[in-house]
Amino acid sequence: MSEGEEALTAVLERNCSVGRAIAILSDAWAFLVIRECLFGARRFDDFQARLKVPRQTLTERLKRLTDQGILKRAAYLDRPLRYEYRLTEMGIDLYPSMIAMLRFGDKWLDGVPRIPLRLIHKNCGCHSEPIVACSACGEELKAREVSYRDGPGAGRSAPIEFRRSRRSSDSEHYNRGRPSSVSRTLQIIGDRWTFKVSREAFLGARRFDQFEERLNIAPNILTDRLNRLVDKGIFERRLYQRLPDRFEYRLTSMGLDLYGPFVAILAWGDRWLSHGAPPMILTHKTCGQDFTPQVVCDKCRQPIHAWEMAYERNYDMTEDGEIRIREYDP
């Protein structure tokens, strides 16, 4: 951690269900373990074989996820004692949030219309491209069509414990094993300060001093994250004053599409991490109702669940282990 970040650790920050969830998912190894659980991994050797993860690292992440309530472990062998790990109800409920991130990654982060997995909603039998929708009216949510107000858990508290460092190699761990559009999305929003800057943009911040004031962030760190978000295509920089030149930062079409994953993760955080007191209440201006974000099948508009989804692999692996994602023809 830089000196600037160390100096800010005692500052109180906005209570945020998304931030609480990202604090779990922003650890690349923890995310990969959760992902492989969703694909059927249960035992230590399964995880290690699929992810090529060091044993000590895997042991630590399995313990952490069990302590957090995402996984539960049960003995399957007595002599010697061996455990398998299964997702709890809390862990399985992460699935819709991951699908929301997957859809964003499919659409924006490959440069061409290529997706690693095609989803099939077994309930309606269709190839599904899930959307994040309003629980009141069922319509797809758009960032500019939602307002918010403080909920019972609003306020400020000590910073969420994110990882203390984010070396470039950390984000590359997300690419281990199977190709994943969720991984590509987390490479953008999984960084502590990048996530916070993006969140404040959805809450109306536009100018450097607004981000700086709301986040109590060191200017050099803010400059770096704004530049990254511009380079990634999430923000565009617009001149609003000359002599001296001043810029504001506005969400692009790509940036606005991050809203779906953000509020899907928010809904999970509200359910499992807010202790019944969500920090924020959302209102869908289109229908005028307070709502809970839902990830639904775009064909039948029913909420999706992990056990109701199947997959078709949309990539090939060469003899030397290179993964080639096919072009996607919907």
Side-chain angles (χ1 to χ4, degrees), residues 8 11-14 156 159 192-201 203 205 208-218 221-222 225-226:
L8 296 170
V11 176
L12 299 182
E13 64 179 20
R14 180 197 301 273
R156 305 184 78 83
R192 174 190 183 190
W193 287 114
T194 305
F195 152 71
K196 288 184 176 183
V197 171
S198 303
R199 178 194 66 195
E200 293 306 319
L203 298 178
F208 191 97
D209 56 345
Q210 292 175 323
F211 289 110
E212 188 176 26
E213 180 181 358
R214 293 186 184 194
L215 296 173
N216 293 297
I217 182 173
I221 299 171
L222 178 56
R225 296 318 192 268
L226 289 171

Side-chain angles (χ1 to χ4, degrees), residues 49-247:
R50 296 184 187 194
L51 299 174
K52 310 302 182 188
V53 54
R55 294 185 65 86
Q56 182 177 351
T57 301
L58 179 56
T59 298
E60 193 278 331
R61 294 312 190 276
L62 289 169
K63 181 181 185 304
R64 182 191 302 179
L65 289 168
T66 301
D67 292 344
Q68 290 169 330
I70 304 293
L71 300 180
K72 59 184 175 183
R73 71 175 192 168
Y76 69 89
L77 189 65
D78 290 331
R79 295 183 181 178
L81 186 60
R82 294 286 185 268
Y83 294 95
E84 65 178 14
Y85 296 85
R86 293 180 176 269
L87 290 163
T88 62
E89 182 183 357
M90 179 184 182
I92 293 171
D93 198 37
L94 270 171
Y95 182 80
S97 300
M98 289 199 171
I99 292 300
M101 289 188 282
L102 178 147
R103 293 293 303 129
F104 176 84
D106 285 347
K107 181 176 181 179
W108 290 106
L109 300 182
D110 223 10
V112 293
R114 295 180 182 177
I115 65 172
L117 296 173
R118 299 182 71 179
L119 304 178
I120 301 170
H121 190 208
K122 292 187 285 187
N123 284 23
C124 65
C126 295
H127 283 106
S128 182
E129 298 183 0
I131 60 175
V132 184
C134 169
S135 61
C137 69
E139 291 300 311
E140 185 173 5
L141 295 172
K142 305 293 184 182
R144 290 171 176 161
E145 297 171 357
V146 176
S147 62
Y148 72 94
R149 64 183 185 275
D150 285 346
R156 305 184 78 83
S157 57
I160 300 164
E161 283 298 321
F162 283 75
R163 292 185 65 191
R164 293 297 182 184
S165 65
R166 293 291 297 170
R167 300 183 305 273
S168 59
S169 60
D170 292 334
S171 63
E172 288 305 309
H173 290 326
Y174 282 117
N175 296 321
R176 294 234 177 178
R178 69 186 80 244
S180 169
S181 294
V182 187
S183 300
R184 298 199 296 265
T185 302
L186 282 169
Q187 284 178 300
I188 291 180
I189 64 173
D191 169 78
R192 174 190 183 190
W193 287 114
T194 305
F195 152 71
K196 288 184 176 183
V197 171
S198 303
R199 178 194 66 195
E200 293 306 319
F202 283 121
L203 298 178
R206 297 285 182 270
R207 300 180 178 180
F208 191 97
D209 56 345
Q210 292 175 323
F211 289 110
E212 188 176 26
E213 180 181 358
R214 293 186 184 194
L215 296 173
N216 293 297
I217 182 173
N220 63 313
I221 299 171
L222 178 56
T223 298
D224 175 75
R225 296 318 192 268
L226 289 171
N227 288 338
R228 287 190 198 182
L229 288 164
V230 171
D231 291 343
K232 292 288 188 180
I234 303 299
F235 286 174
E236 62 178 345
R237 186 186 286 110
R238 295 182 183 178
L239 183 72
Y240 72 88
Q241 177 186 303
R242 286 200 176 275
L243 300 176
D245 288 354
R246 294 285 186 267
F247 296 91

